Amino acid sequence: MAAEMDVDLEGPRGIKRKAEESGEPESDLPRRIKALDADVVNKIAAGEIIVAPVHALKELLENAVDAGSTSLEILVKDGGLKLLQITDNGHGINREDLPILCERFTTSKLKAFEDLTSIGTYGFRGEALASISHIAHLTVTTRTNESSCAWRAHYSGGKLTPPKPGQSADPKATAGRQGTQITVEDLFYNVPTRKRAFRSGSEEYAKILDLVGRYAVHCTGVAFSCKKHGDSATGISVPTQATTVDRIRQIHGTTIANELIEFDVQDDDYGFKANGWVSNANYHVKRTAFLLFINHRAVESSVIKKAIERIYSQFLPKGGHPFIYLSLNIDPVRVDVNVHPTKREVHFLNEDEIVQEICDEISEKLAQVDTSRIFMTQSILPGARVPAATISQSGNASTPDQRLPSKTYENNLIRTDSKMRKITSMLPPSNPDPSDPFVDKDDTAAVETEYITIDREPVHCRLITVRELRAEVRDSVHAGLTETIASHTFVGIVDVTRRIAAIQGGVKLFLVDYGMLANEYFYQVGLTDFLNFGRIKFDQPLELKRLLELGTEAEREVAGQSAAGVNWDDVVTKVYNQLLERREMLSEYFSLDITEDGMLHSIPLLVKGYAPSMAKLPRFLLNLGPKVDWKDEKVCFHTFLRELAAFYVPEQLPPPPPSEKQKAGVTEDTEMAVEPSEEVREVEKRRRELERAIENILFPAFKARLLATKGLLRGVIEVANLKGLYRVFERC
């Protein structure tokens, strides 16, 4: 029998042992709340303010600029962890202030909390030097203009400390020039976990150069110099007299400096003034270079950055990003600077309005200079043979095709540019032939619609219901279909009777119901142009009641016996009274003008160059009665605009009727001339008008403005895929 295993049977498993059973020292339960040691408190505070060497340098640099310095020299060793020294020529520090210089909340820039509302300096809390002295060895050498010598003091833990054991901690007189030199050594020497977190000194030095470069661009009139300890060459060197563009050139390069645009915007209502330099459309990089200063303080703002990047997305190629230097001065009363330990962020009033005005100014500047573009070209390599031009028999010079650097496969060779030659361009011109019996003689002369432009400012729609309807459209957008329509190429009309057209999107061919596209497009135009519609004015005003009677006659024919008990005269009267009662609203909101005596003067104009069929006008006006909810504002706008969109949708034309020759049994060999009926003429005339409007007006408008909603998927069918067809051909 196997030997039994040794099992600990002192107590059941899974039961938590008490402290005395586990051998741990006894503790009072419950634990009492105790005040932390002052050294622990100061180290925690220092860890929040001084996260890395670059944050320590930022505090020291801002203090130097606050002191009125015109020259700053920065020396760095091991990314600032071993040595970080900044020397300025500012006002200096009085000898009497040195004992409390590194104590927390000691400052010369703030006296009362109310002073924060008008603070105009970088620093104000008095925590920077105190925090540094708790995690590094700090030495300050300073001299004021009135002092006969400089004074040097050493600090540790916020207090004066002797330079060597046994010596006095009082500041020592020494030789020195006016200004202050602050030396930070062995940063994070007593916080080993923080020090081990830094991967390399070179990475920290790069962050320091980036910070110094930002302030060097912004602080005009101040010289900057930054270099590594032991190196003779400086990483950054900017003279005092350098302009902003010169500073950008020396720090970011000549390429950027040659493509800069200056902008300036101010608004006293919002209490701000902004100026800066941004790159034009000829310059773009993979990442945005964003230098933002709010009240001369280097801060970050993802809101401002993304807003400006959206402006540049209209001018730069995909993946391109700009250079932005923005100095934003806001009334201190409107700014809260005390929201971040390292002052990296600030909050200010009217942020959205200020950002919008800045973006508008930048967009306007870009539009003014976006008249020419610069593109990089590949020059011919030395020794390459230049292809010689040959003279054809017609006498025209032609250049032989050059060999392409890489092969383009046939399954990707498609026509996607609508400006390229189409098959219809090879056909005879479609000018109407006066000798054609199916062409109206009056239609041979082009009839152009006269448009009159009035000087009126666009009205900004602030109606909440309209905004909600717009939001509903945005929420129902189908991204893929919208992208297809926005980049499509019109192929042609397949069937006017069924309102089907063919479009090409990428390597795919689609059949689309352009009636559905038009309905959604005109509805969206109604929402976006609300209160700003144009007007189609009639030369002779139309009698509203007579139009409604025509509409009822058409409805009676469609309804047949199912509407035998309907009193159509009452219908006309009710709709007529409804429209007359609301004629002021119809005129203001929808440009539908009706006089007091019931005369229709105008209807809305949604798209220039296209007019709906006037044959649909009676039924449109009649539908405004039963199909529009006049009691609820949102539903009223929605239903009215849907009816208006249905009125504007191209109508379904009947199939071409048999010709008069076919009815009369006339063959091609018979020289009997048969004139078509007036009805056939009108239908063919309208067919030509629709075909021109659909290709040249409506589909370009869909491409530019239509947000394809998910409901339109029912009207789009993919009929061919070029890559799929090649796979089929390969199997044949």
Side-chain angles (χ1 to χ4, degrees), residues 28 63 104 223 232 313 324 350 409 467 476 484 580 610:
D28 296 331
N63 285 341
R104 292 187 69 193
S232 57
S313 64
I324 306 164
N350 304 114
Y409 294 95
R467 294 183 179 182
S476 62
T484 299
L580 279 187
Y610 171 77

Side-chain angles (χ1 to χ4, degrees), residues 48-186:
E48 293 179 350
I49 298 172
I50 310 300
V51 181
V54 66
H55 297 105
L57 177 63
K58 180 177 183 292
E59 299 289 347
L60 299 177
L61 189 149
E62 290 178 347
N63 285 341
V65 177
D66 280 340
S69 306
T70 59
S71 177
L72 296 178
E73 299 174 5
I74 301 165
L75 189 63
V76 182
K77 183 178 181 180
D78 195 14
L81 295 172
K82 285 292 184 182
L83 174 67
L84 188 62
Q85 185 181 86
I86 179 169
T87 306
D88 66 63
N89 62 347
H91 304 314
I93 304 171
N94 290 322
R95 163 69 176 80
E96 293 77 11
D97 296 336
L98 290 177
I100 64 170
L101 176 65
C102 290
E103 292 184 6
R104 292 187 69 193
F105 309 120
T106 56
T107 178
S108 62
K109 304 162 186 175
L110 192 67
K111 293 183 180 180
F113 180 77
E114 290 74 15
D115 295 341
L116 278 175
T117 60
S118 60
I119 194 74
T121 57
Y122 291 107
F124 53 86
R125 288 195 294 246
E127 289 188 287
L129 291 176
S131 299
I132 295 173
S133 69
H134 281 91
I135 55 177
H137 300 123
L138 182 66
T139 303
V140 178
T141 304
T142 182
R143 176 186 175 184
T144 62
N145 189 32
E146 296 79 12
S147 178
S148 59
C149 64
W151 297 92
R152 178 173 297 164
H154 300 266
Y155 297 88
S156 179
K159 304 292 184 181
L160 284 170
T161 185
K164 294 182 180 179
Q167 295 182 356
S168 173
D170 294 336
K172 302 294 189 298
T174 184
R177 62 185 184 183
Q178 179 181 339
T180 303
Q181 182 183 80
I182 298 180
T183 304
V184 181
E185 298 176 289
D186 300 324

Side-chain angles (χ1 to χ4, degrees), residues 648-687:
Y648 260 85
V649 171
E651 67 273 21
Q652 290 178 290
L653 294 178
S659 65
E660 298 295 332
K661 293 182 179 181
Q662 294 174 344
K663 292 180 180 180
V666 180
T667 62
E668 295 181 357
D669 298 333
T670 307
E671 297 182 356
M672 177 181 176
V674 179
E675 290 290 334
S677 65
E678 187 66 25
E679 179 184 357
V680 174
R681 290 180 182 275
E682 291 297 329
V683 171
E684 290 304 312
K685 179 181 178 181
R686 181 58 181 171
R687 193 187 307 276

